[in-house]
Amino acid sequence: MRDTRLLRLPGSRIRSLFGLPAAALLLLLGLLAPAATAASPPGTTAAADPVRIMPLGDSVTGSPGCWRALLWNQLQGAGHTGIDFVGTLPPQGCGVAHDGDNEGHGGELVTNVASQGLLPARLAATRPDIVVMHFGTNDVWSDIAPDRILAAYDTLLAQMRESNPDIRVLVAQLIPMNPATCAECGRRVVDLNARIPAWAAGASTDRSPVVVVDQWTGFDTATDTYDGVHPGASGDEKIAARWFPALAAQLESTPGVPGDPGEPGDPAVTCAASFRAVSVWQGGHQAEVTVRNTSAALVRGWTVTLRPADGARVSQVWNGSLTTAADGTATVSDAGWNGSLAPGASTAFGIVATTTAGSAAPAASADCAATPAS
């Protein structure tokens, strides 16, 4: 329980019995503690409970999972000081001061955690408000089908909501894999990641949202891992940078106030979008579209019109909402949590597109329209 303080009875309201003073009566009845706690000074209020954040996963999250240290300090620097990283595992070093509690168990499969019922006890011990989950790397390595992995996600999400009906979950599309002993792991990660946005959309509720965070796009196993699987220093930086805006959005609850950019007379808001192919295979490709606020005012939302070249069709989008016209033009709007952009700030969404045989290198024109602050 978050508040275990005993109810205090004001002495002025206690009447004597058989002529005994009120304090003596309380001692007689065993209701007065041997050492009373001093009353709080007038006008003071109890500090709000910190938001409890559980980093959940396998050795990418723990062992040592130094992206957590970077993320913790980024949040602190942005003013999110009322937070508490929680987990049944202690810090694993990293040489950076941070709150290192976590639930990143090296070697664990998410399917085993679900089938063996390992999560409920961990939830009971830590009581998270937000879960940051990168889980499934070992399942992919073990050639477990995406259907089974997503079914395990269902089980874990149900257990989280049983622990806290208002829990919020950030779920990662996994970082790439290219271990020397698993030639197919790279493709398996792509297959799983392609399924996660639809799973999250079906699982999310207004009370307990599930938000997808793309950890795959822009991550290079050659430079960002030390073994094709586990992040090195640059990989930790990229992972923390991807978690930060999504987690900060969950922590922020104060909308714009009068005087914010966007009032009459303020400059118009503008944005720009750029397309970059990150993976190509026979019959399709994956790409990243970066959206940047190019104005001096706050952007509250954005819409990108994407026109793929050479007959390509956008089939999937994450970190955005997709509408496709008959001619193949794709319109992608922000996902809510990534719509607000400060001047000069940027965000990104990912796409998967299908192509015809003999298509040229992936390309697309991208136009951006911004929504001003209201």
Side-chain angles (χ1 to χ4, degrees), residues 176 178 219-228 234:
N178 187 27
F219 196 99
D220 187 341
T221 56
T223 58
D224 298 328
T225 73
Y226 57 84
D227 60 358
S234 63

Side-chain angles (χ1 to χ4, degrees), residues 4 10 27-28 35 38 58 108 121 139 145 162 204 239 296 299 310 332 361 372:
T4 58
L27 283 170
L28 180 64
D58 45 45
E108 278 197 340
D139 302 78
E162 184 175 355
S204 186
I239 293 172
V299 166
D310 205 22
V332 181

Side-chain angles (χ1 to χ4, degrees), residues 228-318:
V229 179
H230 299 92
S234 63
D236 285 325
E237 292 176 359
K238 289 183 178 181
I239 293 172
R242 288 300 179 95
W243 282 129
F244 174 76
L247 185 51
Q250 294 297 320
L251 296 170
E252 292 169 357
S253 58
T254 305
V257 295
D260 280 350
E263 291 186 343
D266 283 348
V269 296
T270 58
C271 60
S274 58
F275 174 95
R276 181 178 71 91
V278 295
S279 182
V280 182
W281 57 87
Q282 183 69 33
H285 62 262
Q286 183 169 340
E288 178 184 59
V289 179
T290 299
V291 180
R292 182 177 299 278
N293 181 356
T294 55
S295 64
L298 180 67
V299 166
R300 284 293 186 196
W302 47 263
T303 301
V304 172
T305 302
L306 200 63
R307 299 177 180 84
D310 205 22
R313 294 294 183 104
V314 176
S315 58
Q316 296 180 31
V317 166
W318 51 93

Side-chain angles (χ1 to χ4, degrees), residues 42-115:
T44 63
T45 57
D49 288 340
V51 178
R52 303 171 68 84
I53 302 168
M54 173 191 280
L56 174 63
D58 45 45
S59 57
V60 174
T61 297
S63 309
C66 290
W67 60 261
R68 292 181 286 103
L70 301 177
L71 178 59
W72 167 264
N73 283 284
Q74 288 174 11
L75 292 168
Q76 297 291 302
H80 299 294
T81 56
I83 59 174
D84 180 13
F85 278 16
V86 298
T88 60
L89 296 179
Q92 284 92 31
C94 298
V96 177
H98 70 291
D99 184 349
D101 298 331
N102 72 96
E103 212 65 65
H105 296 257
E108 278 197 340
L109 282 68
V110 68
T111 47
N112 287 348
V113 172
S115 64

Side-chain angles (χ1 to χ4, degrees), residues 3 68 84 92 169 187 192 217 219 227 240 244-245 338 355:
D3 191 349
R68 292 181 286 103
D84 180 13
Q92 284 92 31
V169 181
R187 181 64 208 176
L192 174 61
T217 302
F219 196 99
D227 60 358
F244 174 76
N338 59 353
T355 57

Side-chain angles (χ1 to χ4, degrees), residues 25-240:
L25 176 61
L26 287 173
L27 283 170
L28 180 64
L29 297 177
L31 297 177
L32 193 62
T37 302
S40 299
T44 63
T45 57
D49 288 340
V51 178
R52 303 171 68 84
I53 302 168
M54 173 191 280
L56 174 63
D58 45 45
S59 57
V60 174
T61 297
S63 309
C66 290
W67 60 261
R68 292 181 286 103
L70 301 177
L71 178 59
W72 167 264
N73 283 284
Q74 288 174 11
L75 292 168
Q76 297 291 302
H80 299 294
T81 56
I83 59 174
D84 180 13
F85 278 16
V86 298
T88 60
L89 296 179
Q92 284 92 31
C94 298
V96 177
H98 70 291
D99 184 349
D101 298 331
N102 72 96
E103 212 65 65
H105 296 257
E108 278 197 340
L109 282 68
V110 68
T111 47
N112 287 348
V113 172
S115 64
Q116 296 171 16
L118 300 179
L119 185 61
R122 299 170 184 176
L123 293 168
T126 57
R127 300 174 289 109
D129 301 299
I130 301 174
V131 172
V132 175
M133 185 173 83
H134 184 289
F135 217 167
T137 298
N138 293 308
D139 302 78
V140 168
W141 204 330
S142 301
D143 197 16
I144 294 176
D147 283 344
R148 287 184 57 195
I149 297 173
L150 296 177
Y153 283 10
D154 282 329
T155 299
L156 267 55
L157 181 60
Q159 292 167 346
M160 294 174 196
R161 287 173 172 165
E162 184 175 355
S163 169
N164 177 1
D166 298 306
I167 201 161
R168 290 160 282 170
V169 181
L170 306 183
V171 58
Q173 289 175 297
L174 305 184
I175 61 172
M177 292 177 62
N178 187 27
T181 57
C182 182
E184 296 299 318
C185 278
R187 181 64 208 176
R188 293 174 195 163
V189 172
V190 172
D191 291 343
L192 174 61
N193 283 346
R195 299 276 301 276
I196 289 176
W199 171 83
S204 186
T205 67
D206 290 340
R207 183 173 182 180
S208 175
V210 179
V211 177
V212 178
V213 177
D214 178 11
Q215 292 287 1
W216 193 93
T217 302
F219 196 99
D220 187 341
T221 56
T223 58
D224 298 328
T225 73
Y226 57 84
D227 60 358
V229 179
H230 299 92
S234 63
D236 285 325
E237 292 176 359
K238 289 183 178 181
I239 293 172

